[in-house]
Amino acid sequence: MISYEQIEEFICQYPVYQYAFFSPEDIEFSERVRWICQNECERYDTTWACPPAVGTVEECREKCLTYKECFLFSTIASVSDVINLEETLATRGEHEEITASIEKFIRSQGTECIALSTESCDICEHCAYPEGPCRFPEKMHPCLESHGIIVSELADRYSMDFTLSPTEILWFSLIFMK
Ligand code: SF4
C-alpha cells in the first residue's frame, strides 16, 4: 500500500491546508445526516453521487470499512461572503481537481482507492441518473455527507479547522485506501 510519506510528498505541490490519516473504523456513520439529505437538500434523488443512489448509510459504511486507511484533507477558497451559496459553490472546481489528482496518484502507486468529496457530482451538465448508469464512475466523487459522515465532527477529532472566516470557505475530501 502507498505510504503516508509518499502522499505527503505528493500533496506538497498543491495548496492543501490541513490533513489527517486515520482508520475508517474511527468514522461515525450517521442516519441523522441522511435525514438532512432527504429533507433539506435539493440534490437528493437527482444524481448517482447522492442518496438514495449511493445506497443506505449501512451499505455506505460497509463499503468504506473494506478499506484500510483514510486520508482527509482540506483546501481554502476565498469568497466575498461564505453565505453566498452560488459564489461559494463556484469555487469547488480547484478542490475537485486536487482531489482527482491525489486519487490518480494513489492509484498509480498500485493502491485501490475511492474519494468522497464536496457537495454532489457536477461532471456532466445533466446527470444520467436515474435513466442510465453513471458515465464516469471512476471520476465521480459522492459527497461526504451522502455516506452519513459528519465532516465537522471528523475535522474536530483530528484538530482540523472546519470554519475560518466570513470570506474563506474550507472544502474537504476523504480518500479511502485499500
Ligand atoms: S459523472 Fe455524470 S452521470 Fe456520473 S454522477 Fe456525475 S453527473 Fe451523474
Side-chain angles (χ1 to χ4, degrees):
M1 198 184 110
I2 191 168
S3 67
Y4 293 171
E5 291 75 22
Q6 282 174 286
I7 295 175
E8 285 173 326
E9 199 176 309
F10 182 76
I11 64 172
C12 281
Q13 64 187 296
Y14 299 112
V16 169
Y17 174 55
Q18 291 174 321
Y19 63 88
F21 293 100
F22 49 89
S23 164
E25 306 259 354
D26 296 339
I27 300 172
E28 184 191 339
F29 294 83
S30 159
E31 289 290 344
R32 191 159 45 101
V33 187
R34 181 57 62 91
W35 187 92
I36 295 170
C37 293
Q38 191 161 355
N39 292 284
E40 296 185 5
C41 183
E42 60 183 31
R43 292 290 183 105
Y44 184 83
D45 204 15
T46 63
T47 88
W48 286 111
C50 290
V54 293
T56 64
V57 172
E58 182 53 27
E59 286 166 343
C60 291
R61 189 183 79 87
E62 283 172 13
K63 177 182 70 182
C64 293
L65 292 185
T66 65
Y67 292 81
K68 277 190 191 148
E69 301 285 346
C70 286
F71 171 58
L72 177 70
F73 73 91
S74 61
T75 66
I76 305 172
S78 297
V79 289
S80 63
D81 192 331
V82 291
I83 62 168
N84 183 333
L85 194 61
E86 201 175 325
E87 184 192 2
T88 301
L89 287 177
T91 66
R92 286 174 57 207
E94 188 186 10
H95 179 88
E96 287 302 318
E97 282 173 23
I98 293 172
T99 303
S101 296
I102 298 174
E103 185 183 30
K104 192 173 166 194
F105 173 68
I106 292 170
R107 287 187 182 140
S108 76
Q109 300 304 302
T111 297
E112 200 180 313
C113 67
I114 55 165
L116 304 181
S117 191
T118 62
E119 303 295 330
S120 62
C121 183
D122 270 339
I123 292 176
C124 310
E125 196 174 336
H126 298 291
C127 184
Y129 180 85
E131 290 80 17
C134 174
R135 299 183 188 100
F136 304 102
E138 287 287 304
K139 286 189 184 169
M140 180 269 267
H141 301 147
C143 77
L144 274 152
E145 289 79 3
S146 75
H147 281 46
I149 296 172
I150 306 168
V151 185
S152 57
E153 285 186 8
L154 210 50
D156 191 46
R157 189 174 322 156
Y158 295 102
S159 304
M160 293 169 67
D161 294 322
F162 185 67
T163 54
L164 286 175
S165 77
T167 57
E168 290 171 303
I169 177 91
L170 279 168
W171 292 118
F172 290 84
S173 288
L174 179 59
I175 302 184
F176 291 84
M177 302 175 284
K178 273 207 170 132

